[in-house]
Amino acid sequence: MNLKKILITLAAIITVTASVGGFIIYNRTGYLDVSGERTIKTSLVSTTVDVYRDAYGVPHIFGDRLEDILFASGYAMAEDRLFQIEMTVRAATGRLAELFGPDLIEPDKLARQNGYTRSDLDGMIANMPAPERRAFKSMVAGINLYVDEALSDPKAKLPFEFKTSKIELDRYEESEILAGITLILRYFGVSGGREITNQAFFDELIEKYDPQTAQLIFDDILPLTDPDAYATTLDAPQGDAQLSKQFLRHEGASLSPSGRKAAAEHAQRVFATKKAHARIGLSEGASRTILIGPERSATGNPLMMQATADGGDLHLVGPNFNFSGLNIRPLGIPVMGRGENIGLLITTGERDTRDTFFVETQANDKYAYRYDGAWRDMEVRTETILVKGQEPVTFKLARTVHGPVILWDEERNIAYTQRWAMWGKEADVWAGTLRFIQSDSAGAIKDTLPRVASTSSNISYADVNGDFGFRHMGDLPQRAPDADPRLPANGDGSQDWDGFVPADAAPVLYNPEKGYVMVWNNSPAPGTQYGDRSRWGKHFRTHLPVSLIENSGKISIDDLKRYNEILGRSFYSVDLNLTSPRFFDLYFEEVIAQSDDDKVKEAARLMMAWDGLFVDGDEDGFYDAPGLPIFLEWRKAALAAIFNDDIGEWWRTLDEKTYIPYQTSLLIRALEGDAAGAPMEYDYFNGRARADIVEDSIKQTLDTLAADYAGKELSAWKAPVFWRYLDDTTEPKDKPMLLPGRATTYAGAATQLGHLPKAIVDNGMPDWTAIMEINPDTPYYYSATPSGGQSWFINTAWKASPHIRDQYALHNKFEYKTVSIEPSKIKENYVSHTRITMAAP
């Protein structure tokens, strides 16, 4: 499989070629007029529902019946982002190659491997609670009403990309929309599945060292927990397996040479698929929440701030609820935001909820596997992928009792299969979300959350009475006591899960004495056991918001806006390896005291002088601090100097493409020595003094950067500002990025047709941002979403929604729009009004 070719072809997913003549047409046609009144009559609703759009195009939907409200939600969502719905559904169901050719076959195979069959999806819908099932079906019907309109009037209503990509628009099956929702929920609510990479690392250690030393290094590099990591709650979690290193080792999990090659190809397939997801608007993680309780609030009311993934605002008002906030299409409901009496925010939980098992297969039949003392047949199905430009591809997929087979090591007669804690529950998660956004108090949310199915997530909430809280959510596997969560478990039945950790054992807070809740995809509680993927340590980004809060008195909305800018300029949402140079000042001081090299001393002082923020105060196109580029390069040089001779570049490889990387905390632990919360057991310094290693790594850094700053004094070593590409198809990129792989919000054809710039200066921010005060006297919140804004719609006549570009400048300047939740004000100040009413019999 050629990964480069796959990535190039994936870029074609969002490439729209516009001729010079096309730009002339665009310049003459401009934007759509989206104001005015209209009425839609349909037999698909039984009451009247009203959709009012404000000056930023936010749909405010009023109705008396939940199903009709969700019908209008589906319709409005399709108006704004139908092409994104289409691409999300295709990515989820493995149907990209039929549009974009053979290089998308492997990502399509992965989607089908890990996805559900039509029968699975239909069964999940049938098992939803009746009220939510009716609402879901009605939402899909609303999407399809817009599809019907687009088919009947393509010039006005068909998104531009359907025509240029030659996609034949068709009505959506309910199972297809649930598949798209499943992709979203898994993307933000499932972690784990990296056991095979860890196994390859362990295998290499065994080959290089004796078993005891290999185990020692493995436990150092992949710790089960790190006491120096910030935790949201103060109490140790209940129900986690004991933090014992006396796990049962299984030679059967080891990979043969051909198995390692297959594992590497599987990893490439996963990475390429993530790239495709980024290009349809799924920016991974980056969620951060700050909740200030009444005692710390300048107004005496709870204050809340959120920055998270891309999506538009959506406001639903029913007879017993009123809630507005972020809608990640095609969910069709706001998953976080505020109501009249509550605020509700979510970050991804990043707990290990997906495990890899290995099973023995028969030498003459790889679809027969050993389980519970007997041979069993896997569930095998045949899938066919249509491929543009060539014949269809037919292949087999298999499942064991644990779940889909992800990898075959045929040399050893081993299959690797994965079990997901959320498997088969995504429809229930959607239904549960619809239920708890109808809560009217913190107490009601606290009582409701343990009873709803959830992804791995952190829920923060507050109400107008001043009560506020936090709960860590999601089914956490209760693993066998002898199963190492970092490595594949034995799939013969001896290490199966024993259900899930009880919901009442989850980390929680309610009106905490410290007066605030801060969550940024961090550890939920002290002593939380890590699995095979996410690890938190001392360097993790939570230190900055905690410092801002702890060093403030009473906190106001303006303070939260200021915090948001500071946190954005830290770039901690862009590169999670970043941290404050303050963690290393002691070691820089040691070098300054011992070194006789003036350039090394100056470099150390410049790194100590940098405050860790990416600021171009004089707007000359370069960041002000010369310590910035030096520190970024030194961190990598120091890691290599300490670890490369013992473990090669595994310190980097183990973090590759993971959302929560650990390598910077690994560096801190090594340098802290016995003072670390989890001291290293192996001597990675090889007898050398710490100051010598740091000094040598600074020299290496200066040598590496010398070519970039030839002839300049160190004080003039300033890095050019980093850019964010709204169009990720531009190759090669002519402006520097901090991380070339940063998920870039997909803006459809807007960049190709000139509605949006292809790149903007990166301000370090995630996407949807919101700030709110939970108080009856403030029936609104502030928010902004970047590229594409509320709507990504451009019709085939080249006219675009004006809301395709009206927020990116706000977002990039750390500014906000106001979203009202007050019905009377919305109805007084709307820009457009669509009434959907029952057609006469």
Side-chain angles (χ1 to χ4, degrees):
M1 180 179 62
N2 188 320
L3 179 61
K4 183 176 180 181
K5 286 181 67 180
I6 286 177
L7 296 181
I8 291 171
T9 306
L10 284 170
I13 291 175
I14 62 168
T15 300
V16 179
T17 303
S19 65
V20 174
F23 277 104
I24 294 172
I25 295 172
Y26 154 66
N27 288 331
R28 290 178 178 173
T29 57
Y31 292 99
L32 293 163
D33 179 2
V34 295
S35 62
E37 305 268 352
R38 64 179 175 140
T39 298
I40 297 174
K41 293 185 177 182
T42 175
S43 61
L44 299 172
V45 298
S46 57
T47 61
T48 295
V49 59
D50 293 286
V51 183
Y52 297 93
R53 288 189 182 263
D54 63 21
Y56 282 91
V58 175
H60 303 265
I61 300 174
F62 295 80
D64 295 324
R65 184 170 173 265
L66 185 62
E67 294 97 301
D68 295 339
I69 293 170
L70 266 291
F71 180 90
S73 171
Y75 182 86
M77 182 167 58
E79 278 189 304
D80 288 340
R81 299 192 178 195
L82 182 61
F83 184 64
Q84 190 177 27
I85 293 173
E86 173 75 15
M87 296 308 297
T88 302
V89 167
R90 284 182 174 273
T93 55
R95 291 190 293 123
L96 293 173
E98 66 183 89
L99 293 179
F100 305 110
D103 289 318
L104 273 296
I105 292 172
E106 292 302 320
D108 277 356
K109 282 185 177 180
L110 185 69
R112 299 197 189 192
Q113 168 195 287
N114 293 336
Y116 297 117
T117 65
R118 169 70 179 271
S119 177
D120 293 334
L121 294 163
D122 287 342
M124 290 162 62
I125 295 169
N127 290 327
M128 290 172 72
E132 288 78 25
R133 182 175 67 249
R134 290 193 297 267
F136 175 80
K137 288 174 172 287
S138 188
M139 181 188 76
V140 177
I143 295 172
N144 283 331
L145 176 63
Y146 185 83
V147 170
D148 291 341
E149 292 181 356
L151 289 170
S152 63
D153 188 5
K155 185 175 181 180
K157 294 197 170 186
L158 184 69
F160 181 88
E161 296 92 340
F162 278 87
K163 185 175 181 179
T164 57
S165 300
K166 295 185 170 66
I167 299 173
E168 292 188 14
L169 176 62
D170 199 358
R171 305 179 100 246
Y172 293 97
E173 300 289 341
E174 292 164 1
S175 59
E176 291 180 308
I177 296 300
L178 180 56
I181 289 172
T182 293
L183 175 63
I184 301 297
L185 295 179
R186 287 182 174 185
Y187 200 80
F188 296 111
V190 174
S191 188
R194 296 268 295 184
E195 293 93 347
I196 294 177
T197 298
N198 295 346
Q199 183 67 55
F201 173 51
F202 191 71
D203 289 347
E204 189 169 304
L205 292 176
I206 289 290
E207 292 171 2
K208 184 175 181 179
Y209 300 96
D210 63 83
Q212 292 76 22
T213 302
Q215 184 68 61
L216 202 70
I217 295 173
F218 185 79
D219 290 334
D220 274 349
I221 306 302
L222 297 172
L224 287 164
T225 192
D226 187 336
D228 289 334
Y230 172 82
T232 299
T233 61
L234 302 178
D235 298 325
Q238 303 174 48
D240 266 341
Q242 291 184 350
L243 296 173
S244 169
K245 295 180 182 178
Q246 303 306 311
F247 296 116
L248 199 62
R249 296 296 173 196
H250 292 291
E251 293 183 4
S254 297
L255 293 153
S256 69
S258 62
R260 290 189 191 184
K261 180 180 178 182
E265 291 175 349
H266 174 73
Q268 286 187 328
R269 189 179 302 118
V270 172
F271 300 157
T273 303
K274 277 183 168 288
K275 192 75 171 177
H277 291 170
R279 287 189 165 101
I280 59 174
L282 291 178
S283 50
E284 187 173 34
S287 306
R288 65 166 180 260
T289 294
I290 293 177
L291 194 172
I292 305 299
E295 295 299 318
R296 296 295 310 273
S297 168
T299 65
N301 301 309
L303 307 177
M304 306 182 79
M305 182 179 82
Q306 177 77 7
T308 187
D310 171 74
D313 293 87
L314 174 65
H315 183 197
L316 306 181
V317 184
N320 300 309
F321 72 97
N322 177 349
F323 195 87
S324 182
L326 173 69
N327 171 35
I328 303 175
R329 64 285 131 228
L331 291 175
I333 52 177
V335 294
M336 65 182 85
R338 73 156 295 180
E340 291 180 350
N341 299 317
I342 62 166
L344 182 69
L345 299 176
I346 304 176
T347 75
T348 59
E350 300 302 321
R351 294 297 297 277
D352 184 8
T353 59
R354 178 174 51 173
D355 279 359
T356 303
F357 292 80
F358 67 93
V359 294
E360 178 188 357
T361 61
Q362 289 186 351
N364 58 351
D365 182 4
K366 72 176 185 178
Y367 296 112
Y369 69 104
R370 194 162 187 82
Y371 180 76
D372 201 19
W375 291 103
R376 291 195 180 190
D377 291 329
M378 297 181 186
E379 295 178 23
V380 181
R381 72 181 191 272
T382 299
E383 293 275 341
T384 298
I385 294 175
L386 301 180
V387 184
K388 180 181 178 182
Q390 73 173 49
E391 292 298 311
V393 173
T394 299
F395 59 102
K396 289 184 178 180
L397 292 174
R399 290 181 188 173
T400 70
V401 294
H402 302 105
V405 173
I406 65 165
L407 180 69
W408 303 91
D409 188 343
E410 298 190 32
E411 188 175 335
R412 300 201 63 204
N413 295 323
I414 295 291
Y416 293 88
T417 182
Q418 287 188 338
R419 184 174 180 187
W420 306 53
M422 196 170 59
W423 186 268
K425 302 174 185 176
E426 289 86 351
D428 290 334
V429 173
W430 186 91
T433 304
L434 183 56
R435 285 199 299 277
F436 73 70
I437 66 170
Q438 298 177 61
S439 303
D440 62 356
S441 70
I445 295 173
K446 178 170 71 75
D447 293 341
T448 300
L449 287 178
R451 300 194 300 272
V452 301
S454 172
T455 62
S456 176
S457 56
N458 301 304
I459 313 291
S460 302
Y461 55 92
D463 67 16
V464 294
N465 298 316
D467 292 318
F468 66 107
F470 159 88
R471 185 177 187 89
H472 180 72
M473 297 286 292
D475 287 338
L476 184 66
Q478 190 75 60
R479 297 178 173 90
D482 62 352
D484 189 331
R486 300 166 293 186
L487 295 170
N490 196 331
D492 66 359
S494 63
Q495 291 189 329
D496 280 3
W497 294 351
D498 185 18
F500 300 95
V501 175
D504 59 7
V508 297
L509 289 172
Y510 196 71
N511 292 330
E513 289 186 9
K514 63 182 181 179
Y516 69 89
V517 174
M518 201 295 302
V519 193
W520 201 352
N521 308 124
N522 54 276
S523 174
T528 293
Q529 179 174 282
Y530 306 162
D532 58 280
R533 184 178 172 188
S534 295
R535 287 178 177 77
W536 303 280
K538 195 169 193 175
H539 93 278
F540 197 60
R541 57 194 182 184
T542 45
H543 65 84
L544 181 53
V546 169
S547 175
L548 292 171
I549 296 168
E550 294 286 358
N551 289 300
S552 298
K554 297 284 187 177
I555 294 170
S556 67
I557 287 287
D558 285 341
D559 288 324
L560 291 183
K561 291 180 178 179
R562 178 172 58 86
Y563 293 174
N564 200 41
E565 182 168 356
I566 292 171
L567 295 173
R569 296 200 186 284
S570 73
F571 271 61
Y572 290 166
S573 290
V574 181
D575 185 348
L576 277 68
N577 285 309
L578 290 172
T579 197
S580 170
R582 302 293 76 72
F583 287 114
F584 303 96
D585 282 354
L586 171 63
Y587 319 119
F588 297 149
E589 288 173 350
E590 290 176 347
V591 168
I592 291 170
Q594 79 164 25
S595 179
D596 57 4
D597 188 322
D598 289 340
K599 287 194 71 174
V600 168
K601 291 183 177 182
E602 185 180 2
R605 291 190 180 100
L606 289 172
M607 287 190 283
M608 292 176 67
W610 181 41
D611 64 3
L613 303 183
F614 292 68
V615 177
D616 176 16
D618 56 9
E619 298 184 345
D620 66 347
F622 293 86
Y623 293 117
D624 299 339
L628 184 159
I630 299 173
F631 182 78
L632 295 187
E633 185 60 36
W634 171 79
R635 186 194 64 84
K636 294 182 289 186
L639 279 160
I642 293 171
F643 293 107
N644 273 17
D645 56 342
D646 298 304
I647 63 170
E649 290 202 347
W650 277 104
W651 57 268
R652 189 199 313 272
T653 304
L654 291 167
D655 276 350
E656 189 176 15
K657 307 296 182 183
T658 62
Y659 177 50
I660 307 292
Y662 186 71
Q663 59 189 253
T664 303
S665 285
L666 202 64
L667 174 60
I668 292 174
R669 283 175 54 214
L671 292 174
E672 284 186 335
D674 290 341
M680 298 285 191
E681 298 289 339
Y682 184 80
D683 179 17
Y684 299 94
F685 289 0
N686 298 316
R688 300 183 64 202
R690 177 173 66 191
D692 292 341
I693 292 175
V694 174
E695 181 174 2
D696 286 348
S697 61
I698 292 176
K699 289 178 180 177
Q700 177 61 52
T701 297
L702 296 177
D703 289 343
T704 300
L705 294 176
D708 293 336
Y709 298 101
K712 293 184 178 180
E713 298 293 326
L714 288 184
S715 59
W717 285 22
K718 296 185 178 182
V721 296
F722 296 118
W723 288 72
R724 182 174 186 178
Y725 280 75
L726 305 186
D727 172 0
D728 205 24
T729 67
T730 304
E731 297 288 354
K733 293 177 173 60
D734 60 352
K735 302 177 188 301
M737 302 176 72
L738 178 60
L739 277 187
R742 181 187 184 188
T744 299
T745 298
Y746 164 54
T751 55
Q752 301 295 330
L753 299 180
H755 294 290
L756 285 169
K758 291 189 176 183
I760 56 177
V761 173
D762 198 335
N763 66 354
M765 283 293 291
D767 295 324
W768 188 79
T769 307
I771 295 177
M772 61 192 76
E773 178 180 2
I774 311 305
N775 173 24
D777 297 330
T778 58
Y780 54 83
Y781 61 93
Y782 305 107
S783 76
T785 193
S787 58
Q790 181 69 32
S791 175
W792 292 359
F793 180 70
I794 305 172
N795 69 19
T796 56
W798 302 70
K799 283 194 173 182
S801 165
H803 307 304
I804 206 166
R805 65 169 294 127
D806 58 3
Q807 292 186 62
Y808 88 90
L810 285 177
H811 188 274
N812 215 44
K813 295 178 180 178
F814 304 98
E815 296 175 353
Y816 311 85
K817 66 182 186 296
T818 300
V819 180
S820 176
I821 63 167
E822 188 174 2
S824 60
K825 282 198 173 180
I826 292 165
K827 293 176 182 179
E828 288 173 4
N829 300 308
Y830 68 86
V831 173
S832 72
H833 172 213
T834 299
R835 171 159 288 178
I836 304 175
T837 190
M838 184 171 59

